[in-house]
Amino acid sequence: AAPYWIFVSVIKHMMEVSEGDPVETVRKKWEALHERLDEFSRLPEDKRESACQSFAEHEDYLAYLLGVAREADRIKAVKPDKLKKTIFNAFRVFLEAASALPDNGEAVYLMLDDLHWVDELSRELIDYLMEALEPARRFLIIAMFRPDYKPSERWREGVNYFELNLKPISLEESTDMVQGMLNGL
């Protein structure tokens, strides 16, 4: 999998971007999302300016991962360790901005599906976010993965991690579910 693909897919979902959308469409939708995130309306007034500045400093790194960076050559020239650190910070700033958007919700939910297929950089990024994220409101990461996936040792049961095991459904339950869905057509 491509580095950070699970997080890039979250941003694309927020932008309502589909695979195969032209670069110009992605760029316009990124700019629109960037403007929306710049509001930081849930942050206290004295923190908004620094949050906006931090977001502006990091946003081109996320745009780079989306393929629409203004300064892609400059980003390509950054040493790998520094690039990783900056991208981690960029995602942190992005998610903190998302948590400060004006809406009626009490919390922000980040859904990460198929974690068992996640790339190593995304795995490290999840650990980083669990420790460094300072959202404007409650923030819940919901990670779905197969039973054989081993969560990070940095995930502490009862502290920053709760596990809910779902049992497989039977053939009869699967058949009933599919028939019910087909009857609804």
Side-chain angles (χ1 to χ4, degrees):
Y4 310 108
W5 68 268
I6 199 164
F7 287 96
V8 170
S9 67
V10 166
I11 295 172
K12 286 182 175 181
H13 178 77
M14 285 181 73
M15 293 170 24
E16 298 179 359
V17 166
S18 302
E19 290 302 316
D21 277 354
V23 172
E24 199 50 47
T25 300
V26 176
R27 181 175 286 114
K28 285 179 183 172
K29 288 185 176 186
W30 170 247
E31 288 169 0
L33 179 61
H34 180 259
E35 283 179 29
R36 216 174 109 225
L37 291 172
D38 253 350
E39 293 176 26
F40 291 99
S41 62
R42 283 186 172 255
L43 287 182
E45 197 68 42
D46 62 330
K47 292 186 177 183
R48 287 185 193 173
E49 187 177 331
S50 66
C52 284
Q53 183 179 355
S54 183
F55 190 60
E57 290 170 6
H58 289 91
E59 72 91 13
D60 209 34
Y61 288 89
L62 298 177
Y64 176 75
L65 296 175
L66 293 166
V68 296
R70 291 182 305 272
E71 298 181 37
D73 290 337
R74 178 185 60 80
I75 294 171
K76 285 179 190 174
V78 175
K79 292 183 180 179
D81 284 347
K82 183 175 183 197
L83 182 61
K84 175 182 162 183
K85 183 179 178 182
T86 304
I87 287 175
F88 276 31
N89 283 325
F91 276 112
R92 178 188 53 77
V93 168
F94 175 82
L95 292 172
E96 288 173 356
S99 78
L101 281 173
D103 67 23
N104 297 326
E106 294 276 330
V108 174
Y109 301 92
L110 176 62
M111 302 283 292
L112 303 176
D113 197 7
D114 294 328
L115 210 57
H116 47 274
W117 288 331
V118 77
D119 60 280
E120 188 57 34
L121 286 170
S122 293
R123 189 185 285 255
E124 291 177 36
L125 178 55
I126 293 168
D127 287 350
Y128 168 77
L129 291 172
M130 288 178 78
E131 294 173 356
L133 196 63
E134 295 182 17
R137 57 188 155 154
R138 282 188 229 135
F139 200 97
L140 179 65
I141 298 174
I142 301 170
M144 293 167 276
F145 49 85
R146 292 181 182 164
D148 59 341
Y149 177 81
K150 300 288 184 252
S152 168
E153 291 177 10
R154 293 166 70 180
W155 299 10
R156 295 175 309 281
E157 181 74 39
V159 176
N160 66 357
Y161 170 69
F162 298 92
E163 188 170 315
L164 176 64
N165 292 306
L166 302 178
K167 296 183 181 358
I169 59 175
S170 69
L171 180 59
E172 184 180 309
E173 292 167 323
S174 296
T175 303
D176 289 346
M177 182 176 69
V178 170
Q179 285 178 341
M181 290 169 24
L182 291 174
N183 289 337
L185 293 177

